[in-house]
Amino acid sequence: MFKVSHTTLVVVSGLVWLVVGSILLPMGVNFVVEALLRENASLSHPVLNFLTPYVGGKEQSALVWMGLAMLVGFFKGRRLFSKTVQRSVDRILTLPDPVSLRQIYTPGYYLLLGAMMGMGIAVRFLPQDVRGGVDNAIGCALINGAALYFRRAWSLYRRASV
C-alpha cells in the first residue's frame, strides 16, 4: 500500500477540506445571487426579504447576508474546527511513520462525513438564500480548517527538518 509521512498525511487532510470548502463557497454565493435575481423574490427568500428594509436594498441585503455567513464560518473554523484539526493531527502523529494513506481518517470520521453529506442533501429543500448562506458558512469554515491543517503540517515539516 502507498505509504506517506505524517506531514504528507496532514497536508492531504487539509487539501480535502480545502477542495470541499472551495466547492461550497462559490456554490453558496451562486445561490444567494440567484435568489437575488429571481422575479418572485418577495415570497420565497426570507432572509433577503428580512434584511432589505434595514440595509437599503436587495443587493445590499445579499452582500450583508453573505458577509454574515462568512463571518459565522470564520469563527466556526477558528473555534470548532480547530479542535477537530488538533484531534486529527494528534491521531495521525500516533501512527507509525510512514503511514498508509488509507489511515487518513477513522471509521467514525467517515460516518461524520456521511452525515454531513446527508445534511447537505437535506438543505436542498430550504429557500435558496438560506441554502446559500449555509453553504457560504460551511465553505468558509472548511477553508479556514484547511489553513489550520497546513499550519500544523508546516510546523511538523520544520520540526522534522531541524
mmCIF file of all heavy atoms in Angstrom, residues 23-55:
data_model
loop_
_atom_site.group_PDB
_atom_site.id
_atom_site.type_symbol
_atom_site.label_atom_id
_atom_site.label_comp_id
_atom_site.label_asym_id
_atom_site.label_seq_id
_atom_site.Cartn_x
_atom_site.Cartn_y
_atom_site.Cartn_z
ATOM 1 N N ILE A 23 -15.428 24.316 -3.167
ATOM 2 C CA ILE A 23 -16.619 23.990 -3.959
ATOM 3 C C ILE A 23 -17.853 24.636 -3.330
ATOM 4 O O ILE A 23 -18.693 25.219 -4.019
ATOM 5 C CB ILE A 23 -16.792 22.466 -4.088
ATOM 6 C CG1 ILE A 23 -15.681 21.882 -4.957
ATOM 7 C CG2 ILE A 23 -18.163 22.104 -4.645
ATOM 8 C CD1 ILE A 23 -15.601 20.362 -4.927
ATOM 9 N N LEU A 24 -17.968 24.543 -2.004
ATOM 10 C CA LEU A 24 -19.158 25.044 -1.324
ATOM 11 C C LEU A 24 -19.255 26.567 -1.318
ATOM 12 O O LEU A 24 -20.355 27.110 -1.456
ATOM 13 C CB LEU A 24 -19.199 24.540 0.122
ATOM 14 C CG LEU A 24 -19.609 23.093 0.313
ATOM 15 C CD1 LEU A 24 -19.494 22.702 1.775
ATOM 16 C CD2 LEU A 24 -21.016 22.860 -0.186
ATOM 17 N N LEU A 25 -18.145 27.256 -1.145
ATOM 18 C CA LEU A 25 -18.190 28.716 -1.030
ATOM 19 C C LEU A 25 -18.752 29.375 -2.291
ATOM 20 O O LEU A 25 -19.723 30.137 -2.196
ATOM 21 C CB LEU A 25 -16.809 29.256 -0.669
ATOM 22 C CG LEU A 25 -16.738 30.720 -0.287
ATOM 23 C CD1 LEU A 25 -17.580 31.022 0.939
ATOM 24 C CD2 LEU A 25 -15.300 31.116 -0.018
ATOM 25 N N PRO A 26 -18.225 29.104 -3.482
ATOM 26 C CA PRO A 26 -18.831 29.735 -4.667
ATOM 27 C C PRO A 26 -20.246 29.242 -4.959
ATOM 28 O O PRO A 26 -21.064 29.981 -5.490
ATOM 29 C CB PRO A 26 -17.878 29.395 -5.812
ATOM 30 C CG PRO A 26 -16.913 28.427 -5.291
ATOM 31 C CD PRO A 26 -17.017 28.382 -3.806
ATOM 32 N N MET A 27 -20.531 27.993 -4.580
ATOM 33 C CA MET A 27 -21.879 27.486 -4.764
ATOM 34 C C MET A 27 -22.863 28.291 -3.904
ATOM 35 O O MET A 27 -23.957 28.655 -4.361
ATOM 36 C CB MET A 27 -21.929 26.001 -4.389
ATOM 37 C CG MET A 27 -23.136 25.290 -4.906
ATOM 38 S SD MET A 27 -22.968 23.488 -4.879
ATOM 39 C CE MET A 27 -22.934 23.128 -3.147
ATOM 40 N N GLY A 28 -22.458 28.604 -2.679
ATOM 41 C CA GLY A 28 -23.293 29.418 -1.810
ATOM 42 C C GLY A 28 -23.492 30.825 -2.356
ATOM 43 O O GLY A 28 -24.597 31.372 -2.314
ATOM 44 N N VAL A 29 -22.427 31.411 -2.885
ATOM 45 C CA VAL A 29 -22.543 32.742 -3.491
ATOM 46 C C VAL A 29 -23.517 32.679 -4.667
ATOM 47 O O VAL A 29 -24.374 33.561 -4.826
ATOM 48 C CB VAL A 29 -21.157 33.267 -3.933
ATOM 49 C CG1 VAL A 29 -21.299 34.528 -4.757
ATOM 50 C CG2 VAL A 29 -20.268 33.516 -2.723
ATOM 51 N N ASN A 30 -23.413 31.646 -5.482
ATOM 52 C CA ASN A 30 -24.326 31.495 -6.619
ATOM 53 C C ASN A 30 -25.775 31.377 -6.174
ATOM 54 O O ASN A 30 -26.669 31.952 -6.799
ATOM 55 C CB ASN A 30 -23.943 30.290 -7.474
ATOM 56 C CG ASN A 30 -22.719 30.543 -8.307
ATOM 57 O OD1 ASN A 30 -22.376 31.681 -8.608
ATOM 58 N ND2 ASN A 30 -22.036 29.479 -8.681
ATOM 59 N N PHE A 31 -26.036 30.640 -5.104
ATOM 60 C CA PHE A 31 -27.404 30.507 -4.612
ATOM 61 C C PHE A 31 -27.962 31.853 -4.155
ATOM 62 O O PHE A 31 -29.116 32.183 -4.431
ATOM 63 C CB PHE A 31 -27.493 29.494 -3.463
ATOM 64 C CG PHE A 31 -27.478 28.067 -3.910
ATOM 65 C CD1 PHE A 31 -26.622 27.157 -3.317
ATOM 66 C CD2 PHE A 31 -28.316 27.622 -4.917
ATOM 67 C CE1 PHE A 31 -26.605 25.832 -3.728
ATOM 68 C CE2 PHE A 31 -28.317 26.302 -5.334
ATOM 69 C CZ PHE A 31 -27.457 25.403 -4.732
ATOM 70 N N VAL A 32 -27.162 32.621 -3.441
ATOM 71 C CA VAL A 32 -27.638 33.925 -2.966
ATOM 72 C C VAL A 32 -27.877 34.864 -4.142
ATOM 73 O O VAL A 32 -28.895 35.562 -4.202
ATOM 74 C CB VAL A 32 -26.657 34.539 -1.942
ATOM 75 C CG1 VAL A 32 -27.074 35.952 -1.570
ATOM 76 C CG2 VAL A 32 -26.577 33.670 -0.692
ATOM 77 N N VAL A 33 -26.960 34.887 -5.096
ATOM 78 C CA VAL A 33 -27.118 35.761 -6.264
ATOM 79 C C VAL A 33 -28.329 35.331 -7.090
ATOM 80 O O VAL A 33 -29.112 36.169 -7.555
ATOM 81 C CB VAL A 33 -25.833 35.784 -7.111
ATOM 82 C CG1 VAL A 33 -26.061 36.472 -8.443
ATOM 83 C CG2 VAL A 33 -24.712 36.468 -6.339
ATOM 84 N N GLU A 34 -28.507 34.041 -7.251
ATOM 85 C CA GLU A 34 -29.669 33.551 -7.990
ATOM 86 C C GLU A 34 -30.966 33.922 -7.281
ATOM 87 O O GLU A 34 -31.950 34.296 -7.924
ATOM 88 C CB GLU A 34 -29.563 32.040 -8.165
ATOM 89 C CG GLU A 34 -30.573 31.471 -9.144
ATOM 90 C CD GLU A 34 -30.341 30.000 -9.405
ATOM 91 O OE1 GLU A 34 -29.170 29.595 -9.564
ATOM 92 O OE2 GLU A 34 -31.340 29.252 -9.452
ATOM 93 N N ALA A 35 -30.978 33.829 -5.964
ATOM 94 C CA ALA A 35 -32.157 34.244 -5.201
ATOM 95 C C ALA A 35 -32.416 35.734 -5.393
ATOM 96 O O ALA A 35 -33.562 36.166 -5.487
ATOM 97 C CB ALA A 35 -31.962 33.921 -3.724
ATOM 98 N N LEU A 36 -31.365 36.494 -5.468
ATOM 99 C CA LEU A 36 -31.481 37.938 -5.660
ATOM 100 C C LEU A 36 -32.078 38.268 -7.025
ATOM 101 O O LEU A 36 -32.869 39.197 -7.169
ATOM 102 C CB LEU A 36 -30.098 38.577 -5.512
ATOM 103 C CG LEU A 36 -29.973 40.065 -5.706
ATOM 104 C CD1 LEU A 36 -30.716 40.791 -4.602
ATOM 105 C CD2 LEU A 36 -28.512 40.466 -5.723
ATOM 106 N N LEU A 37 -31.713 37.507 -8.033
ATOM 107 C CA LEU A 37 -32.133 37.796 -9.399
ATOM 108 C C LEU A 37 -33.510 37.240 -9.754
ATOM 109 O O LEU A 37 -34.052 37.583 -10.799
ATOM 110 C CB LEU A 37 -31.090 37.248 -10.384
ATOM 111 C CG LEU A 37 -29.705 37.884 -10.276
ATOM 112 C CD1 LEU A 37 -28.743 37.201 -11.230
ATOM 113 C CD2 LEU A 37 -29.760 39.378 -10.534
ATOM 114 N N ARG A 38 -34.061 36.405 -8.907
ATOM 115 C CA ARG A 38 -35.376 35.821 -9.193
ATOM 116 C C ARG A 38 -36.454 36.908 -9.158
ATOM 117 O O ARG A 38 -36.432 37.786 -8.314
ATOM 118 C CB ARG A 38 -35.719 34.748 -8.174
ATOM 119 C CG ARG A 38 -34.828 33.560 -8.289
ATOM 120 C CD ARG A 38 -35.631 32.391 -8.638
ATOM 121 N NE ARG A 38 -34.696 31.282 -8.800
ATOM 122 C CZ ARG A 38 -35.008 30.223 -9.453
ATOM 123 N NH1 ARG A 38 -36.180 30.096 -9.974
ATOM 124 N NH2 ARG A 38 -34.132 29.262 -9.581
ATOM 125 N N GLU A 39 -37.401 36.776 -10.042
ATOM 126 C CA GLU A 39 -38.503 37.742 -10.117
ATOM 127 C C GLU A 39 -39.412 37.653 -8.898
ATOM 128 O O GLU A 39 -39.895 38.655 -8.399
ATOM 129 C CB GLU A 39 -39.322 37.487 -11.387
ATOM 130 C CG GLU A 39 -38.551 37.738 -12.661
ATOM 131 C CD GLU A 39 -38.272 39.210 -12.892
ATOM 132 O OE1 GLU A 39 -39.112 40.028 -12.505
ATOM 133 O OE2 GLU A 39 -37.209 39.515 -13.447
ATOM 134 N N ASN A 40 -39.675 36.451 -8.425
ATOM 135 C CA ASN A 40 -40.619 36.258 -7.329
ATOM 136 C C ASN A 40 -39.921 36.216 -5.977
ATOM 137 O O ASN A 40 -40.319 35.477 -5.097
ATOM 138 C CB ASN A 40 -41.428 34.975 -7.549
ATOM 139 C CG ASN A 40 -40.538 33.753 -7.636
ATOM 140 O OD1 ASN A 40 -39.317 33.868 -7.643
ATOM 141 N ND2 ASN A 40 -41.150 32.585 -7.700
ATOM 142 N N ALA A 41 -38.918 37.040 -5.785
ATOM 143 C CA ALA A 41 -38.125 37.005 -4.554
ATOM 144 C C ALA A 41 -38.934 37.399 -3.326
ATOM 145 O O ALA A 41 -38.560 37.077 -2.210
ATOM 146 C CB ALA A 41 -36.918 37.923 -4.687
ATOM 147 N N SER A 42 -40.035 38.092 -3.519
ATOM 148 C CA SER A 42 -40.793 38.565 -2.361
ATOM 149 C C SER A 42 -41.410 37.426 -1.560
ATOM 150 O O SER A 42 -41.647 37.572 -0.373
ATOM 151 C CB SER A 42 -41.883 39.526 -2.808
ATOM 152 O OG SER A 42 -42.780 38.856 -3.668
ATOM 153 N N LEU A 43 -41.642 36.271 -2.185
ATOM 154 C CA LEU A 43 -42.300 35.192 -1.478
ATOM 155 C C LEU A 43 -41.362 34.105 -0.982
ATOM 156 O O LEU A 43 -41.587 33.514 0.049
ATOM 157 C CB LEU A 43 -43.365 34.548 -2.382
ATOM 158 C CG LEU A 43 -44.504 35.457 -2.812
ATOM 159 C CD1 LEU A 43 -45.404 34.739 -3.795
ATOM 160 C CD2 LEU A 43 -45.284 35.930 -1.611
ATOM 161 N N SER A 44 -40.293 33.849 -1.706
ATOM 162 C CA SER A 44 -39.538 32.634 -1.427
ATOM 163 C C SER A 44 -38.136 32.850 -0.863
ATOM 164 O O SER A 44 -37.381 31.908 -0.789
ATOM 165 C CB SER A 44 -39.453 31.801 -2.709
ATOM 166 O OG SER A 44 -38.815 32.559 -3.711
ATOM 167 N N HIS A 45 -37.778 34.051 -0.491
ATOM 168 C CA HIS A 45 -36.428 34.303 0.014
ATOM 169 C C HIS A 45 -36.495 35.080 1.329
ATOM 170 O O HIS A 45 -36.319 36.298 1.361
ATOM 171 C CB HIS A 45 -35.611 35.045 -1.040
ATOM 172 C CG HIS A 45 -35.595 34.331 -2.352
ATOM 173 N ND1 HIS A 45 -35.060 33.072 -2.494
ATOM 174 C CD2 HIS A 45 -36.073 34.655 -3.559
ATOM 175 C CE1 HIS A 45 -35.203 32.673 -3.740
ATOM 176 N NE2 HIS A 45 -35.822 33.613 -4.407
ATOM 177 N N PRO A 46 -36.714 34.364 2.416
ATOM 178 C CA PRO A 46 -36.999 35.028 3.694
ATOM 179 C C PRO A 46 -35.854 35.878 4.236
ATOM 180 O O PRO A 46 -36.103 36.955 4.787
ATOM 181 C CB PRO A 46 -37.335 33.876 4.638
ATOM 182 C CG PRO A 46 -36.722 32.669 4.007
ATOM 183 C CD PRO A 46 -36.728 32.910 2.534
ATOM 184 N N VAL A 47 -34.622 35.443 4.114
ATOM 185 C CA VAL A 47 -33.514 36.199 4.692
ATOM 186 C C VAL A 47 -33.311 37.512 3.946
ATOM 187 O O VAL A 47 -33.180 38.578 4.561
ATOM 188 C CB VAL A 47 -32.214 35.363 4.706
ATOM 189 C CG1 VAL A 47 -31.051 36.191 5.212
ATOM 190 C CG2 VAL A 47 -32.385 34.120 5.553
ATOM 191 N N LEU A 48 -33.300 37.445 2.629
ATOM 192 C CA LEU A 48 -33.111 38.664 1.841
ATOM 193 C C LEU A 48 -34.260 39.636 2.065
ATOM 194 O O LEU A 48 -34.042 40.851 2.190
ATOM 195 C CB LEU A 48 -32.978 38.331 0.349
ATOM 196 C CG LEU A 48 -31.763 37.494 -0.043
ATOM 197 C CD1 LEU A 48 -31.738 37.267 -1.545
ATOM 198 C CD2 LEU A 48 -30.477 38.132 0.421
ATOM 199 N N ASN A 49 -35.475 39.108 2.151
ATOM 200 C CA ASN A 49 -36.627 39.977 2.401
ATOM 201 C C ASN A 49 -36.564 40.601 3.790
ATOM 202 O O ASN A 49 -36.971 41.748 3.976
ATOM 203 C CB ASN A 49 -37.927 39.204 2.231
ATOM 204 C CG ASN A 49 -38.157 38.819 0.793
ATOM 205 O OD1 ASN A 49 -37.649 39.458 -0.118
ATOM 206 N ND2 ASN A 49 -38.912 37.755 0.577
ATOM 207 N N PHE A 50 -36.077 39.859 4.767
ATOM 208 C CA PHE A 50 -35.953 40.399 6.120
ATOM 209 C C PHE A 50 -34.903 41.509 6.185
ATOM 210 O O PHE A 50 -35.112 42.537 6.833
ATOM 211 C CB PHE A 50 -35.600 39.276 7.103
ATOM 212 C CG PHE A 50 -35.313 39.771 8.488
ATOM 213 C CD1 PHE A 50 -36.343 40.132 9.332
ATOM 214 C CD2 PHE A 50 -34.002 39.880 8.942
ATOM 215 C CE1 PHE A 50 -36.083 40.601 10.615
ATOM 216 C CE2 PHE A 50 -33.730 40.349 10.210
ATOM 217 C CZ PHE A 50 -34.774 40.706 11.058
ATOM 218 N N LEU A 51 -33.773 41.303 5.533
ATOM 219 C CA LEU A 51 -32.673 42.269 5.615
ATOM 220 C C LEU A 51 -32.878 43.516 4.762
ATOM 221 O O LEU A 51 -32.331 44.568 5.082
ATOM 222 C CB LEU A 51 -31.359 41.589 5.210
ATOM 223 C CG LEU A 51 -30.800 40.547 6.159
ATOM 224 C CD1 LEU A 51 -29.592 39.863 5.535
ATOM 225 C CD2 LEU A 51 -30.435 41.172 7.486
ATOM 226 N N THR A 52 -33.643 43.415 3.682
ATOM 227 C CA THR A 52 -33.767 44.522 2.728
ATOM 228 C C THR A 52 -34.177 45.848 3.353
ATOM 229 O O THR A 52 -33.541 46.873 3.075
ATOM 230 C CB THR A 52 -34.727 44.120 1.581
ATOM 231 O OG1 THR A 52 -34.160 43.019 0.893
ATOM 232 C CG2 THR A 52 -34.933 45.267 0.609
ATOM 233 N N PRO A 53 -35.189 45.917 4.219
ATOM 234 C CA PRO A 53 -35.547 47.233 4.771
ATOM 235 C C PRO A 53 -34.465 47.839 5.675
ATOM 236 O O PRO A 53 -34.395 49.059 5.824
ATOM 237 C CB PRO A 53 -36.812 46.966 5.588
ATOM 238 C CG PRO A 53 -37.197 45.570 5.377
ATOM 239 C CD PRO A 53 -36.116 44.880 4.623
ATOM 240 N N TYR A 54 -33.616 47.009 6.246
ATOM 241 C CA TYR A 54 -32.603 47.501 7.178
ATOM 242 C C TYR A 54 -31.330 47.989 6.486
ATOM 243 O O TYR A 54 -30.606 48.803 7.042
ATOM 244 C CB TYR A 54 -32.232 46.413 8.193
ATOM 245 C CG TYR A 54 -33.401 45.990 9.040
ATOM 246 C CD1 TYR A 54 -34.000 44.754 8.843
ATOM 247 C CD2 TYR A 54 -33.918 46.831 10.016
ATOM 248 C CE1 TYR A 54 -35.082 44.357 9.612
ATOM 249 C CE2 TYR A 54 -35.005 46.447 10.785
ATOM 250 C CZ TYR A 54 -35.579 45.212 10.575
ATOM 251 O OH TYR A 54 -36.653 44.839 11.335
ATOM 252 N N VAL A 55 -31.043 47.460 5.303
ATOM 253 C CA VAL A 55 -29.773 47.789 4.644
ATOM 254 C C VAL A 55 -29.928 48.606 3.377
ATOM 255 O O VAL A 55 -28.931 48.993 2.773
ATOM 256 C CB VAL A 55 -28.945 46.516 4.364
ATOM 257 C CG1 VAL A 55 -28.554 45.830 5.657
ATOM 258 C CG2 VAL A 55 -29.687 45.565 3.445
#
